[in-house]
């Protein structure tokens, strides 16, 4: 009771001395005048500068300096800071802003150190209605949507710890989440001309092109992500993101590129679900025109690939490939004592996990955030390669990802993974190809559908292998053999 009286006294003092009231939205959408005790204490400690005594309990994230009229150009980088006190020149973001903005502009429940910075970009239209055009269809330049995010890992310990993995490397899954979140913000900046459009237009991730790690990403060096819309169709757009990390050894900008990612977003009418027309794009510089041509070629290639996948291939050559792949698998099934000890069946490399999708994982439009699915798939794929190789794997690339089915709050989501095949031509850098399939399961309807298929490529150093050399993986069924052939052919494209 003494603790409760103290908390009430603290709250009363805060509200009286600082003329501030706390309103928190509960599940019935009513306003609660009494926040949880830890929020009262945190506010009190900030006001009375007691943070030094409670560093292990309090974490606050600050973002970029105050926006000016040049923000729509997207040129100024957004600083991300996670220090306990706001650094010089960095203004704190009002945590209550979201309650005063329309829910249609809300960025979703995905939380990371970049969330506040991205929220500033999305809420600009609401905060500056006079600077936004009232037209629904205009032409914009790539500069308008260009956005830069800075990660000061070298100076910000707390931010660095958010992204550190057990081997002092970067958590790639969290980086994939951030890339998808940033791509969504960039598409928002290009497509939305005024706050009224937020009620009628839905933007969703359609696909992600293959991402290749060009160089190791260090967790103790500053990182930067730069992105902009590079190509626009009638209802779709491509956003290119660059992950950059400079090194002391070189000043060449090309040497700082760690990842180049191309996200395809599509626009849908929120009422009908049909495709919606979006703003056109007008490239200005020679570089922007080059990126537009490259994106146009990729769009044509994606369409051609979809047409080819619809064609059924049934010929003698494929039958020979199937039989060759299944030969060793039949030995495992029929004569296991004589099977090759350097090989293993696909089914013996499988892992899986399941979860019920929670409201905290939803995006702007109430569905499960695509970056969350990518992170969970990557983490399971990493664990699969780890258990298979016997040492921490090195991530090399993720292949093209199509978002086939939407995932809703409350869905029962199952991730199933396996090592599909290995490439052992280079003993110094064996390649481990991992497949992760996400299934949306609805027990009430007794149905299950594939939402996404993810294909990750890992490697490992031969010096780190503790259980002998990497084994070959062989299929035991025709269905598994066809999956292997499809992936091998996709890698050649």
């Amino acid at each position: 009771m003494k603790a409760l009286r103290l908390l009430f006294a603290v709250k009363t003092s805060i509200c009286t001395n600082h003329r501030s009231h706390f309103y928190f939205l509960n599940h019935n959408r009513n306003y609660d005048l009494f926040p949880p005790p830890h929020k009262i204490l945190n506010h009190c400690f900030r006001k009375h500068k007691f943070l030094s005594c409670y560093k292990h309990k309090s974490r606050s994230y600050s973002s970029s300096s105050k926006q000016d009229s040049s923000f729509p150009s997207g040129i100024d980088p957004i600083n991300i800071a996670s220090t306990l006190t706001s650094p010089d020149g960095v203004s704190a973001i009002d945590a209550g802003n979201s309650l005063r903005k329309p829910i249609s502009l809300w960025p979703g429940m995905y939380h990371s150190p970049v969330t506040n910075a991205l929220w500033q970009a999305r809420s600009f239209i609401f905060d500056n209605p006079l600077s936004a055009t009232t037209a629904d269809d205009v032409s914009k330049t790539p500069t308008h949507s260009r956005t830069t995010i800075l990660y000061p890992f070298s100076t910000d310990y707390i931010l660095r710890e958010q992204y550190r993995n057990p081997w002092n490397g970067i958590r790639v899954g969290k980086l994939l989440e951030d890339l998808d979140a940033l791509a969504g913000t960039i598409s928002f900046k290009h497509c939305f001309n005024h706050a009224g459009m937020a009620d009628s237009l839905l933007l969703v991730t359609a696909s992600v092109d293959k991402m290749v790690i060009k160089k190791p990403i260090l967790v103790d060096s500053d990182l930067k992500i730069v992105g902009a819309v590079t190509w626009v169709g009638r209802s779709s757009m491509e956003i290119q993101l660059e992950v950059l990390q400079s090194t002391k050894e070189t000043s060449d900008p090309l040497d700082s590129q760690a990842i180049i990612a191309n996200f395809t977003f599509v626009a849908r009418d929120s009422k009908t679900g049909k495709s919606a027309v979006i703003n056109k794009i007008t490239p200005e510089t020679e570089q922007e025109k080059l990126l537009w041509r490259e994106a146009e070629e990729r769009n044509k290639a994606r369409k051609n690939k979809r047409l080819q996948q619809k064609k059924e291939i049934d010929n003698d050559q494929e039958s020979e490939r199937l039989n060759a792949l299944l030969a060793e698998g039949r030995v495992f099934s029929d004569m296991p004592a004589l099977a090759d000890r350097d090989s293993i069946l696909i089914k013996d490399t499988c892992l899986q996990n399941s979860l019920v999708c929670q409201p905290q994982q939803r995006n702007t439009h109430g569905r499960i955030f695509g970056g969350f699915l990518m992170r969970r798939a990557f983490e399971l794929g990493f664990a699969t390669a780890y258990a298979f190789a016997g040492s921490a794997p090195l991530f090399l690339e993720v292949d093209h990802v199509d978002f086939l089915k939407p995932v809703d709050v409350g869905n029962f989501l199952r991730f199933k993974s396996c090592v599909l095949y290995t490439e052992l031509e280079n003993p110094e850098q064996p390649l481990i190809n991992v497949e992760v399939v996400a299934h949306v399961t609805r027990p009430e309807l007794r149905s299950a559908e594939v939402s996404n298929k993810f294909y990750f490529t890992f490697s490992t150093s031969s010096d780190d292998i503790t259980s002998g050399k990497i084994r070959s993986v062989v299929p035991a069924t025709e269905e598994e053999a066809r999956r292997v052939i499809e992936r091998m052919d996709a890698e050649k494209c």
Side-chain angles (χ1 to χ4, degrees):
M1 288 301 294
K2 290 183 179 179
L4 289 176
R5 292 193 190 100
L6 174 61
L7 289 176
F8 183 80
V10 169
K11 178 193 175 300
T12 305
S13 173
I14 293 171
C15 294
T16 303
N17 296 335
H18 302 286
R19 298 181 182 179
S20 59
H21 295 274
F22 295 84
Y23 294 92
F24 291 83
L25 199 63
N26 65 17
H27 66 281
N28 292 323
R29 299 181 178 269
N30 297 322
Y31 289 97
D32 184 4
L33 206 56
F34 294 89
H38 72 276
K39 293 186 179 292
I40 301 175
L41 287 173
N42 285 344
H43 186 86
C44 177
F45 296 146
R46 284 197 297 273
K47 293 293 183 181
H48 295 283
K49 300 181 179 179
F50 288 152
L51 275 172
S52 60
C53 299
Y54 295 88
K55 287 183 179 179
H56 65 287
K57 293 184 179 179
S58 302
R59 289 186 180 180
S60 61
Y61 295 103
S62 301
S63 187
S64 65
S65 56
K66 293 183 179 180
Q67 296 175 352
D68 54 27
S69 58
S70 64
F71 183 79
S73 65
I75 296 177
D76 295 335
I78 300 175
N79 288 296
I80 301 175
S82 63
T83 49
L84 292 174
T85 58
S86 297
D88 294 339
V90 178
S91 60
I93 292 177
D94 183 358
N97 274 348
S98 59
L99 296 182
R100 297 191 294 272
K101 299 180 187 299
I103 196 67
S104 55
L105 288 178
W106 183 59
M109 287 298 296
Y110 164 58
H111 290 293
S112 84
V114 305
T115 305
N116 286 339
L118 300 182
W119 169 237
Q120 284 190 347
R122 295 191 179 201
S123 62
F124 175 81
I125 294 176
F126 178 81
D127 291 331
N128 301 272
L130 297 179
S131 63
T133 176
T134 57
D136 289 340
D137 185 9
V138 299
S139 182
K140 295 183 180 181
T141 65
T143 303
H144 188 96
S145 63
R146 185 166 290 115
T147 307
T148 301
I149 298 290
L150 299 177
Y151 295 75
F153 288 141
S154 63
T155 57
D156 197 325
Y157 171 79
I158 295 180
L159 180 65
R160 185 165 66 247
E161 288 304 302
Q162 294 284 321
Y163 285 80
R164 184 190 298 277
N165 68 19
W167 300 274
N168 289 324
I170 196 79
R171 287 185 61 187
V172 178
K174 282 184 67 66
L175 191 59
L176 293 178
E177 272 188 312
D178 288 353
L179 289 173
D180 188 68
L182 179 56
T185 293
I186 291 172
S187 66
F188 185 96
K189 291 172 69 174
H190 178 82
C191 294
F192 285 70
N193 305 324
H194 54 84
M197 295 183 66
D199 295 324
S200 59
L201 194 64
L202 301 180
L203 298 174
V204 295
T205 310
S207 65
V208 184
D209 283 356
K210 176 185 287 189
M211 284 186 274
V212 179
I213 298 288
K214 295 187 175 183
K215 66 173 206 173
I217 301 176
L218 307 177
V219 76
D220 53 0
S221 298
D222 292 349
L223 189 73
K224 180 167 65 175
I225 306 178
V226 183
V229 174
T230 55
W231 176 89
V232 172
R234 180 182 178 276
S235 60
S236 61
M237 76 201 88
E238 183 176 292
I239 298 100
Q240 185 171 98
L241 305 176
E242 288 184 278
V243 179
L244 307 172
Q245 192 172 62
S246 301
T247 59
K248 298 179 180 179
E249 291 75 14
T250 178
S251 58
D252 189 346
L254 293 178
D255 292 336
S256 65
Q257 285 185 349
I259 300 176
I260 294 182
N262 295 304
F263 284 74
T264 301
F265 274 67
V266 295
R268 294 285 183 265
D269 186 286
S270 60
K271 296 180 180 178
T272 65
K274 297 181 179 179
S275 60
V277 178
I278 59 177
N279 294 328
K280 302 177 180 64
I281 192 169
T282 306
E284 293 181 320
T285 67
E286 289 301 320
Q287 178 66 14
E288 290 173 352
K289 293 176 181 178
L290 175 62
L291 292 174
W292 188 92
R293 290 192 294 269
E294 291 176 350
E296 177 73 9
E297 291 299 321
R298 284 192 293 269
N299 184 58
K300 292 179 180 179
R302 282 191 288 265
K303 291 181 178 179
N304 292 334
K305 186 176 180 179
R306 285 194 292 267
L307 292 175
Q308 292 176 358
Q309 289 176 342
K310 291 180 180 179
K311 297 179 181 179
E312 294 185 0
I313 301 176
D314 187 13
N315 50 43
D316 295 337
Q317 185 177 3
E318 186 185 16
S319 298
E320 292 177 3
R321 295 176 68 186
L322 285 172
N323 289 328
L325 283 172
L326 289 169
E328 186 62 31
R330 294 191 180 104
V331 175
F332 269 93
S333 300
D334 300 335
M335 298 171 286
L338 302 178
D340 186 356
R341 296 308 175 207
D342 292 330
S343 299
I344 186 173
L345 293 176
I346 289 178
K347 67 179 183 179
D348 294 328
T349 68
C350 294
L351 294 177
Q352 64 174 303
N353 59 32
S354 305
L355 67 138
V356 176
C357 298
Q358 303 295 334
Q360 293 77 15
Q361 296 147 5
R362 69 188 186 274
N363 62 12
T364 312
H365 310 301
R367 285 186 164 152
I368 299 304
F369 172 58
F372 170 80
L373 302 177
M374 294 175 67
R375 177 175 66 83
R376 292 301 298 256
F378 172 83
E379 290 174 351
L380 180 60
F382 184 93
T384 303
Y386 194 0
F388 174 77
S391 63
L394 306 175
F395 172 65
L396 298 181
E397 66 179 45
V398 54
D399 202 5
H400 181 91
V401 178
D402 286 313
F403 290 81
L404 306 176
K405 298 287 183 182
V407 183
D408 295 318
V409 173
N411 282 165
F412 180 48
L413 192 62
R414 301 182 67 186
F415 290 93
K416 299 180 180 180
S417 68
C418 69
V419 177
L420 207 53
Y421 66 98
T422 55
E423 299 174 67
L424 310 177
E425 290 79 8
N426 182 4
E428 299 299 322
Q429 191 181 45
L431 301 181
I432 305 170
N433 295 274
V434 177
E435 176 190 64
V436 181
V437 183
H439 298 262
V440 179
T441 305
R442 297 179 177 87
E444 298 88 348
L445 302 177
R446 299 170 61 191
S447 67
E449 295 178 297
V450 174
S451 169
N452 306 84
K453 291 184 179 181
F454 303 88
Y455 297 96
F456 302 99
T457 302
F458 297 91
S459 183
T460 185
S461 172
S462 58
D463 297 333
D464 294 335
I465 300 176
T466 59
S467 58
K469 66 179 183 179
I470 298 296
R471 302 165 75 178
S472 297
V473 180
V474 295
T477 65
E478 185 173 321
E479 184 269 336
E480 290 178 343
R482 290 186 184 277
R483 282 159 50 199
V484 173
I485 290 175
E486 288 177 1
R487 286 309 309 154
M488 289 181 172
D489 291 343
E491 286 293 324
K492 296 177 182 177
C493 296

